[in-house]
Amino acid sequence: MIPPVAGFVMEGRRSRNRKSAKRRRAQSSERNRDAKKSKSEPSSSSFLEKMKARLSGGHFRMINEKLYTCTGEEALNYFKEDPSLFNMYHAGYQAQMSQWPEQPVHKIIEWLQVHSPSLTVADFGCGDARVAKSVKNKVFSFDLVSNDPDVIAGDMSNTRLDSSSVDVAIFCLSLMGLNYPNYLKEAHRVLKPSGWLLIAEVKSRLDPKTGGADPNKFIKAVCELGFTPVSKVCCLSATTQSCVKPRNLIYLFFCRRSQFQRGRKSRGQS
């Protein structure tokens, strides 16, 4: 038989244990509710970041489509009216590139690095001048707008380089606009005979099934401008959520300027 005092103590302990267990259950239930809430409702900062990313991506696609459907002069005026659009475009471009496991500009840089550093390069539509910053070659970097003292801003169809003065001309995802043949004509003018023309282009832009140009007709047009195709490489294998099989996203064309010299006057640099 339990003495009265001892029984009272035991009963008090049981009461305290029951209250403690009840508090633990309440705390556990509250933690579970908070965990579920955090999973179903993202934080405000995370939500704002996602919204900013979506808006940035939307602006990039809008500007990108604009550049493909206007002339170079119209694009130049477009960015002159609002220079912030150029920064917005390149921020979106870099965000897109960061999702690709392999960037075409890196392939071009690798190609230059295994060739002589004495080759002079003209980079048409250079963006952040990645090529110039990655190789030992002398590189003339051109784009519509310049936020970098090493980038020459202006119309890429009139670079003011001397005729037959460079060894390599690069268009890395930059053959944009309705008058892009004028850029290739300028590349032909500034290239030395047998100089290299390197073109990287998104595969969808050269796929008739998706509304793009026929790649064979594209190469034929390049040949008619005075170039000879050497090779075509499909690069940038990637996977998507809907397709785990790697797919090629980029065509990389290697051409050489024909020996024929067009009868155009040389332009001096100014």
Side-chain angles (χ1 to χ4, degrees):
M1 181 176 180
I2 301 174
V5 174
F8 178 77
V9 171
M10 291 293 289
E11 182 61 31
R13 287 177 178 173
R14 291 193 192 99
S15 177
R16 285 196 298 273
N17 288 339
R18 284 195 296 270
K19 290 179 180 178
S20 178
K22 187 175 181 180
R23 282 197 299 270
R24 286 196 296 271
R25 287 195 297 271
Q27 290 171 352
S28 177
S29 177
E30 186 176 352
R31 284 195 296 269
N32 290 336
R33 284 196 302 270
D34 291 342
K36 289 180 180 178
K37 185 176 181 181
S38 64
K39 289 181 180 178
S40 60
E41 298 178 11
S43 66
S44 59
S45 60
S46 175
F47 176 75
L48 287 173
E49 287 172 2
K50 289 181 179 179
M51 286 300 296
K52 287 178 181 178
R54 288 181 182 178
L55 287 171
S56 177
H59 288 148
F60 167 74
R61 287 188 290 273
M62 178 189 72
I63 299 171
N64 193 55
E65 191 60 30
K66 169 83 173 176
L67 295 179
Y68 270 104
T69 55
C70 70
T71 66
E73 185 178 357
E74 289 171 340
L76 187 59
N77 292 333
Y78 180 61
F79 287 132
K80 280 183 176 179
E81 289 175 4
D82 188 351
S84 67
L85 292 174
F86 186 79
N87 297 331
M88 189 184 299
Y89 172 76
H90 277 285
Y93 176 84
Q94 293 300 332
Q96 292 275 327
M97 292 297 101
S98 67
Q99 299 175 21
W100 292 5
E102 185 179 21
Q103 297 185 27
V105 68
H106 294 159
K107 284 291 185 183
I108 291 172
I109 289 169
E110 289 172 6
W111 185 90
L112 286 170
Q113 288 173 338
V114 299
H115 286 75
S116 173
S118 65
L119 297 177
T120 302
V121 181
D123 187 4
F124 292 81
C126 65
D128 60 0
R130 186 83 53 90
V131 172
K133 296 171 183 176
S134 305
V135 298
K136 297 179 181 179
N137 307 66
K138 170 64 177 176
V139 181
F140 294 98
S141 302
F142 300 100
D143 216 321
L144 288 170
V145 179
S146 172
N147 294 323
D148 187 321
D150 295 326
V151 176
I152 303 168
D155 185 356
M156 295 190 301
S157 66
N158 183 11
T159 63
R160 298 182 180 275
L161 290 175
D162 287 337
S163 295
S164 302
S165 61
V166 302
D167 301 287
V168 184
I170 297 169
F171 291 91
C172 185
L173 306 179
S174 58
L175 267 185
M176 310 173 77
L178 300 176
N179 64 326
Y180 75 85
N182 292 344
Y183 305 148
L184 291 173
K185 289 177 182 177
E186 179 67 356
H188 185 280
R189 184 187 70 79
V190 302
L191 275 172
K192 299 174 183 177
S194 298
W196 287 95
L197 171 68
L198 277 55
I199 301 173
E201 188 52 80
V202 179
K203 187 178 180 181
S204 60
R205 294 282 177 181
L206 296 172
D207 186 354
K209 295 179 181 178
T210 58
D214 185 309
N216 295 322
K217 291 182 178 179
F218 172 75
I219 284 296
K220 183 180 178 182
V222 171
C223 291
E224 290 174 351
L225 291 172
F227 296 96
T228 302
V230 176
S231 63
K232 179 182 75 174
V233 178
C234 288
C235 64
L236 200 67
S237 293
T239 57
T240 62
Q241 292 181 348
S242 60
C243 178
V244 295
K245 185 179 179 181
R247 61 192 180 96
N248 293 312
L249 296 178
I250 298 292
Y251 280 132
L252 187 53
F253 298 97
F254 294 86
C255 305
R256 302 201 80 158
R257 184 192 183 283
S258 65
Q259 292 286 341
F260 173 71
Q261 176 68 45
R262 289 173 180 265
R264 295 178 66 177
K265 293 182 179 179
S266 172
R267 298 177 190 157
Q269 291 180 286
S270 61

